[in-house]
Amino acid sequence: MKQQDHLFLSAQTVDEASRIFKALGDPTRIKILYLLSQEECSVSHITEVLDMTQSAVSHQLSLLRKLRLVKYRREGTTLYYTYDDEHVITVLNQVLTHIKC
Amino acid sequence: MKQQDHLFLSAQTVDEASRIFKALGDPTRIKILYLLSQEECSVSHITEVLDMTQSAVSHQLSLLRKLRLVKYRREGTTLYYTYDDEHVITVLNQVLTHIKC
DNA sequence: CACATATATGAACATATGCTCATATATATG
DNA sequence: CATATATATGAGCATATGTTCATATATGTG
């Protein structure tokens, strides 16, 4: 195939895809998203389940928020996070299932 | 949910998944894998189409090889690369399609 | 308002990443 | 063997990433 005959991806599409995959390309964020795929979670719950510092979890949630992969609601002083991108959760679960097989 | 009631992912599963996603989490590698999803390519062809240095492409191919996402056959001095993980290509195309919509 | 609890955030730091540049390796050909 | 072509690889470097530590912010309660 000649260069001009390729089905090109726009730079925008490639960047968007790589941002999504980069978000999934870290063990901590995979664990967080997997947790959120099962249930709404407070920050302290995530912190306990993953056995990490509150700060580390909060930083990762901040990153996932920027990418609009998660959102939260407040109840008093507690913030409850949920996932905010069904498709990303589907992709994550597909890959996890594939690996476990 | 209590900590012990979660469906846990093994550390191995999480690490394997994050390695795959990390591989896809770079624009250059997305472009390479997308190219290879369309046709077998020589290194020089990839280099031309992506307009990158031969060294940069070769380093990325080396990384993709380590992860067994691509393989190659030799014909004289030319190496022809193909993808080596159907599932990863499927996931890539799913995400690309989803973004383009 | 004072204090407690839950969470967020900024700085700092160690490590990972992706590229360039120079050079090595492998194959083909005369 | 000498030379050319295609590709791989190591070192170096700038930037990105993920965590910790200290501290800020937000809400609730007495």
Side-chain angles (χ1 to χ4, degrees):
Chain A
M1 257 194 251
K2 302 277 179 181
Q3 182 161 349
Q4 60 270 29
D5 295 337
H6 278 287
L7 292 172
F8 274 116
L9 298 168
S10 72
Q12 198 189 343
T13 299
V14 172
D15 284 353
E16 174 69 9
S18 73
R19 250 180 293 134
I20 289 173
F21 286 125
K22 202 169 280 187
L24 296 171
D26 171 75
T28 297
R29 289 190 294 273
I30 287 183
K31 289 179 204 160
I32 290 176
L33 288 172
Y34 181 72
L35 256 181
L36 296 183
S37 79
Q38 300 183 322
E39 59 171 351
E40 185 182 53
C41 294
S42 68
V43 177
S44 56
H45 181 69
I46 299 174
T47 300
E48 283 165 26
V49 174
L50 301 194
D51 191 25
M52 293 181 59
T53 66
Q54 178 268 319
S55 180
V57 169
S58 197
H59 276 298
Q60 294 293 8
L61 287 171
S62 159
L63 191 153
L64 293 171
R65 253 186 290 131
K66 273 180 204 152
L67 295 171
R68 299 188 187 283
L69 300 187
V70 303
K71 63 186 174 191
Y72 65 89
R73 67 181 177 85
R74 178 181 287 276
E75 206 168 279
T77 60
T78 303
L79 303 188
Y80 290 96
Y81 278 81
T82 49
Y83 62 83
D84 196 24
D85 189 323
E86 185 81 35
H87 182 250
V88 165
I89 296 295
T90 302
V91 168
L92 172 61
N93 280 321
Q94 274 179 348
V95 169
L96 289 173
T97 301
H98 184 252
I99 289 167
K100 284 187 278 191
C101 289
Chain B
M1 255 194 254
K2 301 274 179 183
Q3 182 161 348
Q4 60 270 28
D5 294 338
H6 278 288
L7 293 171
F8 274 117
L9 299 167
S10 72
Q12 198 187 344
T13 299
V14 172
D15 283 354
E16 174 70 9
S18 74
R19 252 180 291 133
I20 289 174
F21 286 124
K22 204 170 279 188
L24 295 171
D26 171 75
T28 297
R29 289 191 294 273
I30 287 183
K31 290 179 204 162
I32 290 174
L33 288 171
Y34 182 72
L35 255 180
L36 297 182
S37 79
Q38 300 184 321
E39 59 172 349
E40 185 182 55
C41 294
S42 67
V43 177
S44 55
H45 181 69
I46 299 173
T47 300
E48 284 166 24
V49 173
L50 299 195
D51 190 27
M52 293 181 61
T53 66
Q54 178 268 318
S55 180
V57 169
S58 199
H59 276 297
Q60 294 293 9
L61 287 170
S62 159
L63 191 153
L64 292 172
R65 253 186 290 131
K66 272 181 206 153
L67 295 171
R68 299 188 188 286
L69 301 187
V70 303
K71 63 187 174 188
Y72 65 89
R73 68 182 176 85
R74 177 181 287 277
E75 207 169 278
T77 59
T78 302
L79 303 188
Y80 290 97
Y81 277 82
T82 49
Y83 63 83
D84 196 23
D85 189 323
E86 186 81 36
H87 183 251
V88 165
I89 296 296
T90 301
V91 168
L92 172 59
N93 281 321
Q94 274 179 347
V95 169
L96 289 173
T97 301
H98 184 252
I99 290 169
K100 284 187 278 190
C101 289

